Amino acid sequence: MRPRLYYITDRRQFPGEAREQERLLLAKIAECAAAGVDYIQLREKDLSTRALEELAHKTRAAIGGTETRLLINSRTDVALACGAHGVHVPGDDLQASEVRAIFDRANVAAPLIAVSVHSPADVAYAEAHGADFAVFAPVFEKGGEQNPAGLEQLRQICRRTVAAAPPMAVFALGGITLENARQCLEAGAAGIAGIRLFQENHAGKVAQKLGSGSI
């Protein structure tokens, strides 16, 4: 089974003024969807509620009728307003079970809920509250700071056992490149998440290399 891919957006890393950054972001989203990227997280935390909702609608249009699923970072209200498939919950946000209850009250069945985690305890907590998958970070680095223990932490998390149920999928995030992604998969990660990995490479190339095992 090929690893799952998760593109996390950051339009401010694209060149140009605000309008050009948005244009490039939407083009990248369409590229990722066409390449078969499984999930896209709209993570434009600086935007107002209205601006984020407008961008979310544009993102859905860019994804089109592909199998790619859209998650909104933190904002369950925006996810509901734009018809996104779910929410990515930061570690200091609501519990996955609380987010799912909000979707239930809105009569939205089976939303996707991803949770940011940084330790085995975080993973166990997210799993206990019904998250669909976890994103562990940082594996290699964050903000230019290296994490020498990250790969081993990922390995320990992925080796955990869960009684009477298969373990929840864990994605790797943080300083991942085409050159080191294989180490994350060998450590047990079910998927690879990234910002620069997708924004600095053609999504088709990322999907091909990960899917073929040639990295």
Side-chain angles (χ1 to χ4, degrees), residues 180-208:
N180 63 26
R182 176 58 53 191
Q183 297 178 61
C184 299
L185 301 178
E186 291 173 348
I192 300 296
I195 298 175
R196 288 175 295 172
L197 176 65
F198 295 97
Q199 294 192 172
E200 296 179 0
N201 299 283
H202 192 283
K205 179 180 180 181
V206 176
Q208 181 181 33

mmCIF file of all heavy atoms in Angstrom, residues 180-208:
data_model
loop_
_atom_site.group_PDB
_atom_site.id
_atom_site.type_symbol
_atom_site.label_atom_id
_atom_site.label_comp_id
_atom_site.label_asym_id
_atom_site.label_seq_id
_atom_site.Cartn_x
_atom_site.Cartn_y
_atom_site.Cartn_z
ATOM 1 N N ASN A 180 14.823 12.315 2.520
ATOM 2 C CA ASN A 180 14.727 11.640 3.823
ATOM 3 C C ASN A 180 13.358 11.038 4.123
ATOM 4 O O ASN A 180 13.162 10.429 5.176
ATOM 5 C CB ASN A 180 15.143 12.585 4.961
ATOM 6 C CG ASN A 180 14.223 13.793 5.095
ATOM 7 O OD1 ASN A 180 13.055 13.756 4.730
ATOM 8 N ND2 ASN A 180 14.763 14.884 5.649
ATOM 9 N N ALA A 181 12.406 11.187 3.213
ATOM 10 C CA ALA A 181 11.050 10.681 3.467
ATOM 11 C C ALA A 181 11.028 9.183 3.700
ATOM 12 O O ALA A 181 10.256 8.681 4.524
ATOM 13 C CB ALA A 181 10.127 11.051 2.300
ATOM 14 N N ARG A 182 11.890 8.448 2.985
ATOM 15 C CA ARG A 182 11.915 6.995 3.141
ATOM 16 C C ARG A 182 12.199 6.586 4.584
ATOM 17 O O ARG A 182 11.675 5.585 5.084
ATOM 18 C CB ARG A 182 12.954 6.394 2.190
ATOM 19 C CG ARG A 182 13.152 4.899 2.301
ATOM 20 C CD ARG A 182 11.882 4.106 2.060
ATOM 21 N NE ARG A 182 11.234 4.457 0.804
ATOM 22 C CZ ARG A 182 10.014 4.066 0.481
ATOM 23 N NH1 ARG A 182 9.303 3.343 1.317
ATOM 24 N NH2 ARG A 182 9.487 4.420 -0.680
ATOM 25 N N GLN A 183 13.028 7.350 5.297
ATOM 26 C CA GLN A 183 13.333 7.024 6.690
ATOM 27 C C GLN A 183 12.076 7.068 7.548
ATOM 28 O O GLN A 183 11.916 6.263 8.470
ATOM 29 C CB GLN A 183 14.373 8.000 7.243
ATOM 30 C CG GLN A 183 15.722 7.948 6.555
ATOM 31 C CD GLN A 183 16.669 8.978 7.137
ATOM 32 O OE1 GLN A 183 16.998 8.954 8.326
ATOM 33 N NE2 GLN A 183 17.128 9.904 6.301
ATOM 34 N N CYS A 184 11.181 8.000 7.256
ATOM 35 C CA CYS A 184 9.928 8.112 8.012
ATOM 36 C C CYS A 184 9.035 6.905 7.756
ATOM 37 O O CYS A 184 8.411 6.367 8.684
ATOM 38 C CB CYS A 184 9.191 9.389 7.623
ATOM 39 S SG CYS A 184 10.110 10.907 7.955
ATOM 40 N N LEU A 185 8.975 6.473 6.514
ATOM 41 C CA LEU A 185 8.155 5.315 6.172
ATOM 42 C C LEU A 185 8.728 4.043 6.781
ATOM 43 O O LEU A 185 7.993 3.186 7.278
ATOM 44 C CB LEU A 185 8.041 5.189 4.652
ATOM 45 C CG LEU A 185 7.437 6.407 3.944
ATOM 46 C CD1 LEU A 185 7.428 6.194 2.437
ATOM 47 C CD2 LEU A 185 6.037 6.692 4.463
ATOM 48 N N GLU A 186 10.044 3.932 6.773
ATOM 49 C CA GLU A 186 10.684 2.768 7.390
ATOM 50 C C GLU A 186 10.491 2.760 8.904
ATOM 51 O O GLU A 186 10.495 1.693 9.535
ATOM 52 C CB GLU A 186 12.168 2.744 7.036
ATOM 53 C CG GLU A 186 12.435 2.444 5.564
ATOM 54 C CD GLU A 186 13.889 2.575 5.189
ATOM 55 O OE1 GLU A 186 14.669 3.116 6.006
ATOM 56 O OE2 GLU A 186 14.254 2.149 4.071
ATOM 57 N N ALA A 187 10.304 3.937 9.494
ATOM 58 C CA ALA A 187 10.037 4.037 10.929
ATOM 59 C C ALA A 187 8.607 3.662 11.266
ATOM 60 O O ALA A 187 8.266 3.522 12.451
ATOM 61 C CB ALA A 187 10.341 5.445 11.421
ATOM 62 N N GLY A 188 7.763 3.523 10.254
ATOM 63 C CA GLY A 188 6.389 3.086 10.483
ATOM 64 C C GLY A 188 5.317 4.095 10.154
ATOM 65 O O GLY A 188 4.121 3.809 10.343
ATOM 66 N N ALA A 189 5.688 5.283 9.689
ATOM 67 C CA ALA A 189 4.681 6.296 9.357
ATOM 68 C C ALA A 189 3.764 5.804 8.240
ATOM 69 O O ALA A 189 4.217 5.196 7.264
ATOM 70 C CB ALA A 189 5.358 7.599 8.938
ATOM 71 N N ALA A 190 2.478 6.062 8.399
ATOM 72 C CA ALA A 190 1.496 5.676 7.378
ATOM 73 C C ALA A 190 1.455 6.676 6.240
ATOM 74 O O ALA A 190 0.950 6.373 5.153
ATOM 75 C CB ALA A 190 0.109 5.558 8.007
ATOM 76 N N GLY A 191 1.975 7.880 6.502
ATOM 77 C CA GLY A 191 1.935 8.913 5.481
ATOM 78 C C GLY A 191 2.933 10.015 5.764
ATOM 79 O O GLY A 191 3.563 10.058 6.831
ATOM 80 N N ILE A 192 3.053 10.882 4.795
ATOM 81 C CA ILE A 192 3.987 12.007 4.868
ATOM 82 C C ILE A 192 3.200 13.303 4.724
ATOM 83 O O ILE A 192 2.404 13.459 3.795
ATOM 84 C CB ILE A 192 5.033 11.928 3.737
ATOM 85 C CG1 ILE A 192 5.841 10.637 3.841
ATOM 86 C CG2 ILE A 192 5.937 13.149 3.762
ATOM 87 C CD1 ILE A 192 6.688 10.508 5.085
ATOM 88 N N ALA A 193 3.429 14.229 5.645
ATOM 89 C CA ALA A 193 2.802 15.541 5.601
ATOM 90 C C ALA A 193 3.879 16.596 5.395
ATOM 91 O O ALA A 193 5.029 16.419 5.812
ATOM 92 C CB ALA A 193 2.043 15.818 6.902
ATOM 93 N N GLY A 194 3.530 17.685 4.757
ATOM 94 C CA GLY A 194 4.514 18.731 4.567
ATOM 95 C C GLY A 194 3.948 19.982 3.936
ATOM 96 O O GLY A 194 2.879 19.957 3.318
ATOM 97 N N ILE A 195 4.698 21.054 4.114
ATOM 98 C CA ILE A 195 4.418 22.322 3.433
ATOM 99 C C ILE A 195 5.407 22.465 2.293
ATOM 100 O O ILE A 195 5.053 22.368 1.121
ATOM 101 C CB ILE A 195 4.528 23.511 4.406
ATOM 102 C CG1 ILE A 195 3.499 23.385 5.533
ATOM 103 C CG2 ILE A 195 4.326 24.833 3.644
ATOM 104 C CD1 ILE A 195 3.621 24.455 6.611
ATOM 105 N N ARG A 196 6.687 22.633 2.649
ATOM 106 C CA ARG A 196 7.714 22.850 1.630
ATOM 107 C C ARG A 196 7.888 21.647 0.711
ATOM 108 O O ARG A 196 8.207 21.815 -0.474
ATOM 109 C CB ARG A 196 9.052 23.182 2.304
ATOM 110 C CG ARG A 196 9.092 24.577 2.928
ATOM 111 C CD ARG A 196 10.388 24.793 3.680
ATOM 112 N NE ARG A 196 10.485 23.878 4.830
ATOM 113 C CZ ARG A 196 11.578 23.730 5.575
ATOM 114 N NH1 ARG A 196 12.669 24.416 5.285
ATOM 115 N NH2 ARG A 196 11.589 22.912 6.603
ATOM 116 N N LEU A 197 7.686 20.446 1.233
ATOM 117 C CA LEU A 197 7.818 19.245 0.409
ATOM 118 C C LEU A 197 6.973 19.354 -0.850
ATOM 119 O O LEU A 197 7.396 18.964 -1.936
ATOM 120 C CB LEU A 197 7.399 18.013 1.215
ATOM 121 C CG LEU A 197 7.392 16.683 0.457
ATOM 122 C CD1 LEU A 197 8.806 16.293 0.039
ATOM 123 C CD2 LEU A 197 6.753 15.602 1.314
ATOM 124 N N PHE A 198 5.778 19.913 -0.712
ATOM 125 C CA PHE A 198 4.868 20.047 -1.846
ATOM 126 C C PHE A 198 5.024 21.381 -2.560
ATOM 127 O O PHE A 198 4.911 21.454 -3.776
ATOM 128 C CB PHE A 198 3.422 19.862 -1.373
ATOM 129 C CG PHE A 198 3.133 18.474 -0.865
ATOM 130 C CD1 PHE A 198 3.185 18.195 0.489
ATOM 131 C CD2 PHE A 198 2.845 17.449 -1.751
ATOM 132 C CE1 PHE A 198 2.933 16.912 0.962
ATOM 133 C CE2 PHE A 198 2.590 16.160 -1.296
ATOM 134 C CZ PHE A 198 2.642 15.894 0.067
ATOM 135 N N GLN A 199 5.293 22.435 -1.810
ATOM 136 C CA GLN A 199 5.368 23.757 -2.433
ATOM 137 C C GLN A 199 6.673 23.966 -3.192
ATOM 138 O O GLN A 199 6.732 24.814 -4.086
ATOM 139 C CB GLN A 199 5.153 24.847 -1.374
ATOM 140 C CG GLN A 199 3.745 24.807 -0.796
ATOM 141 C CD GLN A 199 3.343 26.015 0.036
ATOM 142 O OE1 GLN A 199 2.195 26.147 0.415
ATOM 143 N NE2 GLN A 199 4.256 26.921 0.337
ATOM 144 N N GLU A 200 7.690 23.202 -2.857
ATOM 145 C CA GLU A 200 8.977 23.354 -3.540
ATOM 146 C C GLU A 200 9.228 22.260 -4.574
ATOM 147 O O GLU A 200 10.259 22.270 -5.246
ATOM 148 C CB GLU A 200 10.109 23.377 -2.514
ATOM 149 C CG GLU A 200 10.029 24.584 -1.581
ATOM 150 C CD GLU A 200 11.135 24.612 -0.538
ATOM 151 O OE1 GLU A 200 11.982 23.681 -0.546
ATOM 152 O OE2 GLU A 200 11.143 25.541 0.286
ATOM 153 N N ASN A 201 8.315 21.298 -4.678
ATOM 154 C CA ASN A 201 8.417 20.223 -5.664
ATOM 155 C C ASN A 201 7.077 20.062 -6.372
ATOM 156 O O ASN A 201 6.025 20.379 -5.803
ATOM 157 C CB ASN A 201 8.768 18.891 -4.990
ATOM 158 C CG ASN A 201 10.102 18.920 -4.271
ATOM 159 O OD1 ASN A 201 11.151 18.846 -4.893
ATOM 160 N ND2 ASN A 201 10.068 19.030 -2.948
ATOM 161 N N HIS A 202 7.108 19.574 -7.591
ATOM 162 C CA HIS A 202 5.846 19.276 -8.266
ATOM 163 C C HIS A 202 5.181 18.118 -7.536
ATOM 164 O O HIS A 202 5.834 17.105 -7.229
ATOM 165 C CB HIS A 202 6.091 18.925 -9.728
ATOM 166 C CG HIS A 202 4.833 18.884 -10.533
ATOM 167 N ND1 HIS A 202 3.952 17.822 -10.473
ATOM 168 C CD2 HIS A 202 4.291 19.784 -11.405
ATOM 169 C CE1 HIS A 202 2.931 18.052 -11.276
ATOM 170 N NE2 HIS A 202 3.116 19.247 -11.845
ATOM 171 N N ALA A 203 3.893 18.247 -7.255
ATOM 172 C CA ALA A 203 3.184 17.222 -6.495
ATOM 173 C C ALA A 203 3.211 15.873 -7.194
ATOM 174 O O ALA A 203 3.254 14.823 -6.542
ATOM 175 C CB ALA A 203 1.747 17.655 -6.243
ATOM 176 N N GLY A 204 3.199 15.885 -8.515
ATOM 177 C CA GLY A 204 3.272 14.634 -9.252
ATOM 178 C C GLY A 204 4.567 13.896 -9.007
ATOM 179 O O GLY A 204 4.594 12.668 -8.899
ATOM 180 N N LYS A 205 5.660 14.653 -8.882
ATOM 181 C CA LYS A 205 6.962 14.044 -8.610
ATOM 182 C C LYS A 205 6.978 13.456 -7.203
ATOM 183 O O LYS A 205 7.511 12.348 -6.998
ATOM 184 C CB LYS A 205 8.070 15.087 -8.761
ATOM 185 C CG LYS A 205 9.469 14.557 -8.481
ATOM 186 C CD LYS A 205 10.514 15.651 -8.644
ATOM 187 C CE LYS A 205 11.910 15.128 -8.357
ATOM 188 N NZ LYS A 205 12.936 16.213 -8.493
ATOM 189 N N VAL A 206 6.431 14.172 -6.241
ATOM 190 C CA VAL A 206 6.378 13.670 -4.868
ATOM 191 C C VAL A 206 5.578 12.369 -4.819
ATOM 192 O O VAL A 206 6.015 11.377 -4.235
ATOM 193 C CB VAL A 206 5.752 14.721 -3.926
ATOM 194 C CG1 VAL A 206 5.603 14.150 -2.524
ATOM 195 C CG2 VAL A 206 6.596 15.991 -3.895
ATOM 196 N N ALA A 207 4.384 12.390 -5.437
ATOM 197 C CA ALA A 207 3.532 11.207 -5.424
ATOM 198 C C ALA A 207 4.194 10.026 -6.123
ATOM 199 O O ALA A 207 4.134 8.884 -5.653
ATOM 200 C CB ALA A 207 2.197 11.532 -6.084
ATOM 201 N N GLN A 208 4.867 10.294 -7.238
ATOM 202 C CA GLN A 208 5.515 9.225 -7.981
ATOM 203 C C GLN A 208 6.659 8.605 -7.189
ATOM 204 O O GLN A 208 6.793 7.389 -7.102
ATOM 205 C CB GLN A 208 6.031 9.748 -9.334
ATOM 206 C CG GLN A 208 6.696 8.678 -10.194
ATOM 207 C CD GLN A 208 7.213 9.240 -11.502
ATOM 208 O OE1 GLN A 208 7.645 10.395 -11.562
ATOM 209 N NE2 GLN A 208 7.152 8.441 -12.537
#
